[in-house]
């Protein structure tokens, strides 16, 4: 993995960093995904790739309609979630445009290692406090979802 890291392009390194932040507290992930979304919108090459992404117009229209609906009905939490959903959509488009077979295996290994580390954190957390285990995620439901996803990928 280290050899792949040293040979990786800037976009690939950025993608690996974003993936790592999914296992950090929510505010770190939010900043990282937001910075990626801004970089995608500002960078001319990525902006050009967005234009030719299949169904990209539908995804962006859905994001705008979701924001409009939340704004019209004064749903503040829904509006905040929609504002976070738009950068996540851009991140998945960035992932789809960046991923290649050479990069997929190191990303999968990285996710498995981070998943194991979060299990260790969850075990320690369970031993020291009562209640639901959240590990490094702010919501235990997301933690469970990531564990299920990593089991399927593994």
């Amino acid at each position: 993995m280290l050899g792949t890291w040293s040979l990786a392009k800037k976009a690939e390194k950025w993608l690996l960093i974003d993936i790592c932040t999914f296992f950090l507290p929510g505010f770190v992930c939010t900043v990282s995904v937001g910075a990626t979304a801004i970089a995608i919108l500002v960078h001319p090459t990525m902006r050009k790739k967005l234009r030719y992404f299949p169904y990209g117009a539908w995804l962006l229209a859905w994001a705008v309609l979701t924001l409009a609906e939340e704004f019209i009905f004064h749903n503040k939490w829904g509006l905040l979630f929609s504002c976070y959903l738009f950068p996540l959509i851009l991140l998945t488009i960035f992932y789809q445009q960046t991923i290649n077979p050479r990069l997929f295996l190191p990303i999968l290994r990285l996710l498995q290692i981070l998943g194991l580390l979060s299990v260790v954190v969850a075990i320690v957390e369970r031993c020291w406090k009562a209640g639901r285990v959240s590990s490094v995620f702010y919501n235990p439901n997301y933690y469970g979802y990531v564990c299920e996803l990593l089991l399927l990928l593994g």
Side-chain angles (χ1 to χ4, degrees), residues 42-116:
V42 170
H43 196 274
T45 307
M46 284 307 296
R47 222 177 25 227
K48 185 177 178 182
K49 285 183 178 183
L50 277 177
R51 283 190 213 128
Y52 300 110
F53 181 75
Y55 308 110
W58 286 104
L59 285 173
L60 295 177
W62 179 75
V64 169
L65 286 174
T66 304
L67 283 170
E69 185 259 337
E70 302 300 342
F71 183 75
I72 289 169
F73 291 106
H74 304 288
N75 183 352
K76 293 175 184 161
W77 287 109
L79 186 64
L80 285 174
F81 181 74
S82 296
C83 288
Y84 183 64
L85 194 59
F86 180 70
L88 279 177
I89 290 171
L90 289 178
L91 179 64
T92 57
I93 292 171
F94 177 61
Y95 174 82
Q96 194 271 341
Q97 298 285 333
T98 306
I99 196 71
N100 57 46
R102 179 182 62 87
L103 186 62
F104 179 73
L105 190 58
I107 285 178
L108 187 60
R109 287 184 182 150
L110 177 67
L111 286 172
Q112 290 170 339
I113 291 168
L114 292 172
L116 285 173

